[in-house]
């Protein structure tokens, strides 16, 4: 009986000791992992330091020990009392030396108050003191900078000179439609025609054509090439994604300084789309389009004729007149001044584009096929 009780007690003490050691080891391991994780997450953050003169610095270290060392050093430096013999302060653009105490109130107090004054002194911008006045050297330096700047501007060649020398090339994106067509000697921008040809060649049956967005980085790359290079080959493998081509075309129309539907025509088209009689509406739309400038009218005709070709493959590309209205409504027309009726304007924009697309054969006198 005594022996059994003894071994029971021994086993109880043994397993208690083992359990205690086990949970102690688990807690220690968890605490170590937690500290390592915290240091990894927080010590690698970028720290911003702002000095009392307004300078800002960003520091970052990959090693937690290095970051801790930097932090301790900066903290000791901030807490250390400032001494005048550390470094002299000078007025900006001048050799005049300033005193650190020139703009500080004089107090004769206890050591605790003196310590608070020393800490407060760091937050005072001595350069903004009302007692400081511009010296003769400051005025001379400013006049010298102004004279140099005037000479630089006067010697700078004009934009026309740089364009004649080929140093600056007229851009395509962001250029007025009439200016671009006049420069190219056409009534439809070459970039628009090239994009439409590429879509009709390999994008008519692509699902969501013009609705799906292309890669923005690739679109921006295409835009850069169009603006800075003479030759553009959309059959190149880097433009194999047809959504990049359609995205660049839509970007071209969105970045026109004045949309394809000119500003002064916007309220006229809105009034026309509100007409109840279909025949009168069609006649009014056709008349308005005929009154557009030649580049706008011809570009519009080519674009809507192309969209009709895309609609012939609607079973494959899953596009409709309503879908094209949603895509091209805000892209081709917008008011010069948005009076806060963006939602209402968008409805009319979509309806105008959808109606013109539906009746484009009558409006543009296209051949029926």
């Amino acid at each position: 009986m005594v022996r059994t009780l003894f071994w029971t007690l021994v086993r109880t003490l043994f397993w208690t000791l083992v359990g205690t050691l086990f949970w102690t080891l688990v807690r220690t391991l968890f605490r170590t992992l937690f500290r390592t994780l915290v240091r990894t997450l927080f010590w690698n953050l970028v720290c911003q330091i702002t000095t009392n003169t307004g300078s800002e610095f960003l520091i970052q270290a990959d090693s937690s020990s290095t970051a801790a060392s930097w932090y301790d050093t900066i903290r000791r430096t901030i807490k250390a009392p400032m001494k005048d013999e550390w470094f002299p302060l000078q007025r900006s653009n001048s050799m005049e030396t300033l005193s650190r105490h020139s703009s500080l109130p004089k107090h004769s107090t206890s050591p605790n108050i003196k310590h608070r004054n020393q800490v407060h002194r760091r937050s005072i911008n001595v350069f903004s003191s009302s007692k400081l006045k511009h010296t003769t050297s400051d005025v001379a330096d400013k006049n010298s900078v102004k004279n140099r700047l005037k000479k630089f501007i006067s010697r700078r060649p004009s934009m026309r000179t740089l364009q004649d020398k080929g140093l600056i090339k007229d851009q395509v994106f962001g250029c007025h439609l009439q200016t671009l067509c006049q420069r190219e000697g056409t009534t439809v921008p070459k970039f628009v025609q090239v994009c439409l040809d590429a879509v009709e060649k390999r994008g008519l049956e692509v699902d969501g054509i013009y609705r799906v967005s292309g890669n923005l980085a690739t679109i921006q790359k295409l835009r850069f090439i169009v603006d800075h290079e003479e030759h553009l080959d959309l059959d190149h493998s880097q433009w194999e994604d047809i959504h990049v081509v359609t995205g660049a075309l839509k970007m071209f129309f969105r970045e026109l300084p004045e949309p394809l539907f000119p500003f002064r025509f916007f309220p006229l088209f809105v009034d026309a789309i509100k007409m109840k009689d279909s025949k009168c509406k069609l006649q009014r739309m056709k008349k308005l389009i005929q009154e557009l400038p030649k580049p706008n009218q011809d570009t519009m005709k080519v674009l809507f004729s192309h969209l009709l070709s895309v609609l012939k493959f609607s079973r494959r590309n899953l596009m409709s007149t309503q879908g094209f209205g949603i895509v091209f409504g805000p892209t081709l027309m917008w008011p010069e001044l948005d009076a806060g009726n963006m939602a209402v304007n968008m409805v009319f924009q979509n309806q105008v584009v959808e109606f013109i697309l539906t009746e484009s054969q009558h409006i543009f006198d296209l051949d029926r096929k």
Side-chain angles (χ1 to χ4, degrees), residues 195-346:
C195 290
L196 298 182
D197 293 341
V199 174
E200 293 188 1
K201 182 178 180 180
R202 52 189 174 93
L204 293 177
E205 299 183 0
V206 175
D207 184 9
I209 189 70
Y210 286 110
R211 175 174 51 82
V212 178
S213 301
N215 183 272
L216 183 57
T218 310
I219 293 175
Q220 293 289 358
K221 182 179 180 181
L222 176 58
R223 170 186 175 173
F224 180 84
I225 293 177
V226 172
D227 282 338
H228 296 86
E229 296 184 10
E230 295 291 340
H231 179 67
L232 175 64
D233 182 16
L234 291 182
D235 292 331
H236 194 276
S237 58
Q238 62 180 333
W239 319 123
E240 63 179 355
D241 184 6
I242 196 63
H243 297 304
V244 170
V245 178
T246 58
L249 180 62
K250 291 184 292 184
M251 179 180 289
F252 169 82
F253 284 116
R254 285 196 302 266
E255 294 193 359
L256 288 174
E258 188 170 16
L260 188 62
F261 292 77
F263 291 131
R264 61 188 179 92
F265 283 87
F266 182 85
L268 302 179
F269 278 103
V270 172
D271 292 339
I273 200 63
K274 294 179 181 179
M275 299 176 67
K276 301 298 182 181
D277 187 85
S278 300
K279 186 176 180 179
C280 295
K281 183 189 298 186
L282 177 59
Q283 294 176 352
R284 180 58 177 163
M285 285 287 186
K286 185 174 183 178
K287 183 178 180 182
L288 287 175
I289 292 177
Q290 290 175 348
E291 293 176 359
L292 294 175
K294 188 64 173 175
N296 298 67
Q297 184 178 343
D298 289 354
T299 302
M300 195 177 298
K301 180 178 180 180
V302 170
L303 176 62
F304 281 93
S305 176
H306 163 75
L307 295 180
L308 276 182
S309 301
V310 177
L311 281 175
K312 294 179 181 179
F313 297 85
S314 58
R315 291 187 178 181
R316 296 288 187 88
N317 55 46
L318 303 180
M319 292 299 295
S320 62
T321 54
Q322 183 180 7
F324 281 124
I326 295 174
V327 171
F328 282 97
T331 301
L332 302 181
M333 62 181 300
W334 59 85
E336 185 174 9
L337 298 176
D338 191 356
N341 299 324
M342 182 180 299
V344 177
N345 290 335
M346 184 172 296

Side-chain angles (χ1 to χ4, degrees), residues 170-190:
D170 293 323
Q171 296 190 356
V172 175
F173 284 77
C175 181
H176 284 273
L177 185 62
Q178 296 186 39
T179 303
L180 179 60
C181 292
Q182 183 179 4
R183 188 173 73 218
E184 295 179 349
T186 61
T187 55
V188 178
K190 295 179 180 179

